[in-house]
Each structure stands twice: as structure tokens, then as C-alpha cells.
């Protein structure tokens, strides 16, 4: 299944992928701001963790820039040993990045580490019930388990192209579910306490 969705994702034309990222940057901030407001938090009190996209992944950079412009604290992950929780460090557009594990770009060690209130993860596939198919490293499963156990996380979601939706995903006990998924066409909200929405403009 991972191989199939890698091929499917790689077939998305670059121009289409860029348009999808721009669309999400226009529509997702209001949803994320509402999550913070529902918890009684201003943007600067609700750090949002995103990621630096690898080739083929949904590009989170436009959304990160939009959130930073609204006053959100924006974070990027730093990976350690396999299947261990990620550390998130503050990063804003224009600040330096260092080379991390697996060729990932991440904030330098001197950037302050913060605990995210909202987390957005990359993925290979998702389903209509919050299931997420990751890349097999276990980083996000371990991270979500740790953050949820600590009680600080408001919500965890995924960024994906609409074609990455699967009918049924194999879910195991250690697989951490998502609270929402944002695509270029809709926001799937699995929490039930905030408005799920779909828009042809996205």
C-alpha cells in the first residue's frame, strides 16, 4: 500500500501540487485559528508544528508562512532515533535551517524547543475515520502518543492531496489517529466539536 500511494503521489504534476499548497494556505488558517479560539488561546499561545516537505510530500511552507503572518508560533520537527518522539523547535520563514537525519531540513539546535498545541503531519494516505498511513519510521505515532499523554495537544492533523484518501487503511494498536485532515478540496474534521467543512474553492 505504501508503494502504491508513493506512485500515486509522485504522479501529481508540479503545478497542481503548488496550486494545492497555495489553496490550503488560504483556507486552513481560519480552521486552525478556530481550534485555538475554542480552547481560549490567541495565536501566539498556540504553537503549530508543521514540517519541511520531502520530494512528493504536500508542501507545508505556504501554510507555515500564512500562520506566521497571523502571529502563530510556527515549529518544525527535529528527528532523533527511530520511533522516538520528535522535538519541535521554533522556526519562521527566512530563518536558517540545518541538515538533520534522512536529509531533512530542521531548525538549528539553538532554536528554542516548544511543545505544539496543534500538529500537522505529512502522510502517504488517510481514510475517512482519521487513519493515517505514514512512512514506517514510527516518529509521528510516538510523538502523538507522547503529546497526548502530556495533555497539552489540542489537535493533530495531516496535510495531504485529495487523491491520497484511501477507502480502508490497516490500523494497528500503535497507530495514532488524526483529529483532522486538510486537503486542497476539503477539511475532514473527526473531532465532532468543531465544524467540518468542504469547499470547492479549496
Amino acid at each position: 500500500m505504501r508503494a502504491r500511494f508513493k506512485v500515486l503521489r509522485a504522479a501529481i504534476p508540479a503545478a497542481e501540487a503548488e496550486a494545492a499548497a497555495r489553496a490550503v494556505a488560504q483556507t486552513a488558517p481560519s480552521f486552525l485559528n478556530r481550534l485555538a479560539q475554542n480552547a481560549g488561546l490567541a495565536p501566539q499561545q498556540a504553537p503549530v508544528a508543521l514540517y519541511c516537505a520531502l520530494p512528493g510530500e504536500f508542501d507545508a511552507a505556504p501554510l507555515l508562512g500564512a500562520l506566521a503572518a497571523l502571529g502563530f508560533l510556527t515549529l518544525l520537527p527535529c528527528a532523533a532515533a527511530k520511533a522516538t518522539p520528535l522535538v519541535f523547535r521554533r522556526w519562521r520563514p527566512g530563518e536558517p535551517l540545518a541538515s538533520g537525519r534522512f536529509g531533512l531540513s530542521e531548525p538549528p539546535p539553538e532554536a528554542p524547543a516548544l511543545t505544539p498545541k496543534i500538529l500537522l503531519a505529512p502522510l502517504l494516505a488517510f481514510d475517512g475515520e482519521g487513519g493515517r498511513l505514514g512512512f514506517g519510521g514510527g516518529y509521528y505515532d510516538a510523538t502523538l502518543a507522547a503529546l497526548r499523554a502530556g495533555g497539552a495537544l489540542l489537535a493533530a492533523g495531516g496535510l495531504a492531496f485529495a487523491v491520497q484518501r484511501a477507502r480502508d487503511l490497516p490500523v494497528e494498536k500503535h497507530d495514532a489517529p488524526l483529529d483532522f485532515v486538510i486537503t486542497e478540496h476539503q477539511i475532514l474534521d473527526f473531532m465532532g466539536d468543531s465544524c467540518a467543512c468542504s469547499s470547492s474553492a479549496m
Side-chain angles (χ1 to χ4, degrees):
M1 184 172 280
R2 283 192 174 94
R4 179 162 62 89
F5 276 98
K6 283 181 181 179
V7 171
L8 185 66
R9 195 180 63 178
I12 299 172
E16 185 177 321
E18 292 169 4
R22 290 195 301 270
V24 164
Q26 292 178 347
T27 55
S30 61
F31 172 76
L32 301 177
N33 190 45
R34 188 162 66 250
L35 290 180
Q37 288 180 339
N38 288 347
L41 300 175
Q44 61 270 24
Q45 298 171 309
V48 180
L50 296 101
Y51 58 90
C52 285
L54 292 172
E57 289 181 344
F58 195 100
D59 186 5
L63 177 56
L64 187 152
L67 293 173
L70 290 174
F72 280 91
L73 298 178
T74 48
L75 316 178
L76 291 176
C78 300
K82 185 176 180 180
T84 60
L86 298 162
V87 173
F88 295 93
R89 297 187 182 279
R90 182 171 179 179
W91 188 84
R92 294 176 64 85
E95 292 179 349
L97 287 167
S99 179
R101 291 171 64 90
F102 313 114
L104 294 170
S105 295
E106 58 186 41
E110 60 268 21
L114 298 173
T115 300
K117 290 290 186 183
I118 301 170
L119 182 147
L120 290 159
L123 50 83
L124 279 173
F126 66 94
D127 63 23
E129 297 182 352
R132 172 184 178 269
L133 181 67
F135 305 95
Y139 284 105
Y140 278 96
D141 290 325
T143 299
L144 289 178
L147 290 173
R148 285 168 171 159
L153 190 69
L154 295 179
L159 289 179
F161 300 102
V163 297
Q164 291 177 262
R165 183 167 181 169
R167 184 165 298 178
D168 292 300
L169 287 179
V171 178
E172 300 181 25
K173 287 184 178 181
H174 67 272
D175 291 328
L178 298 174
D179 299 310
F180 62 89
V181 173
I182 301 174
T183 78
E184 72 273 30
H185 296 312
Q186 64 182 161
I187 297 175
L188 300 171
D189 182 355
F190 309 115
M191 294 177 285
D193 59 354
S194 58
C195 180
C197 59
S198 173
S199 172
S200 59
M202 293 177 65

